[in-house]
Amino acid sequence: MGRLSKFLRLPVIDRRLLVKALLLVWMVRVGLWLLPFRMVRKLLARLARESVRAQGESCILVDRIVWAVRLASRYAPAATCLTQALVTKVMLSRYGYPASVRIGVTRSETGQLQAHAWVESKGRVVFGGSEASVKHYTVLTALGGEGW
C-alpha cells in the first residue's frame, strides 16, 4: 500500500493534523536555517497563541499531536529534536495544552557534549524521550509561556 493511499485512509481529522504538522515542521526547519533563533521563537510564540479550538475543531489528544509531528518530521530534511520539539510545543499550545520545550546538555561516555530538546506538559515528558532518558541532561533553558 502506498503512502498516499495510507494517508487517504486516515480519518479526516488525522489528515488535517498531519498536514498542519508537516507545514509547521518545514516552516520551523527553514526558519532555523535562515533566521536568528530569537526571531524564530517570536514567530512561533505568536503562532502558539492562536487557538485551533476557536476554529471549530474537536479536541485532539496529546498522543495524536505527537504522532503527527513524528510522522511529518520524516519528510523534512534535518528535522532535529529541536525542530520537532518546537513544532510539538506550538501544536500543543494551539489545542489548549500547556507545554514547554526543555533544552539540555550532557556528556557522552567519551566526554563529548550532547544536546537534546524535549517537551513537557503537565509535569510529564510528552515528546523527546522518557522521564528516565531526559533526567541525564542538565537543562539549559525552558521555553514556555506566552512570550517564550
Side-chain angles (χ1 to χ4, degrees):
M1 178 168 31
R3 290 179 184 154
L4 181 59
S5 61
K6 281 185 182 180
F7 175 76
L8 293 174
R9 289 181 191 216
L10 290 172
V12 172
I13 197 137
D14 282 350
R15 284 186 291 198
R16 284 185 187 149
L17 191 64
L18 193 53
V19 168
K20 288 176 186 179
L22 185 62
L23 291 172
L24 266 174
V25 166
W26 273 92
M27 184 183 82
V28 170
R29 185 63 252 153
V30 170
L32 289 172
W33 276 329
L34 301 176
L35 302 171
F37 185 67
R38 75 176 183 285
M39 188 178 292
V40 172
R41 281 178 44 189
K42 283 182 182 180
L43 292 169
L44 292 178
R46 192 174 305 152
L47 268 178
R49 283 192 296 267
E50 296 174 14
S51 175
V52 175
R53 290 176 190 228
Q55 299 172 8
E57 290 200 15
S58 63
C59 185
I60 302 287
L61 298 175
V62 171
D63 293 342
R64 293 316 284 171
I65 293 170
V66 169
W67 163 82
V69 172
R70 282 191 178 130
L71 185 56
S73 296
R74 294 181 194 169
Y75 300 96
T80 63
C81 60
L82 178 60
T83 300
Q84 294 176 56
L86 291 171
V87 171
T88 301
K89 196 289 189 229
V90 168
M91 291 185 73
L92 286 172
S93 295
R94 290 184 63 142
Y95 283 97
Y97 296 103
S100 63
V101 174
R102 307 273 191 226
I103 300 173
V105 294
T106 191
R107 291 220 180 259
S108 70
E109 291 178 10
T110 61
Q112 291 182 314
L113 192 64
Q114 296 178 326
H116 183 55
W118 65 94
V119 179
E120 293 182 4
S121 180
K122 297 182 181 179
R124 70 180 185 98
V125 176
V126 295
F127 182 86
S130 64
E131 300 289 336
S133 67
V134 300
K135 75 177 183 180
H136 302 290
Y137 289 90
T138 301
V139 177
L140 296 178
T141 190
L143 308 173
E146 286 294 312
W148 289 33

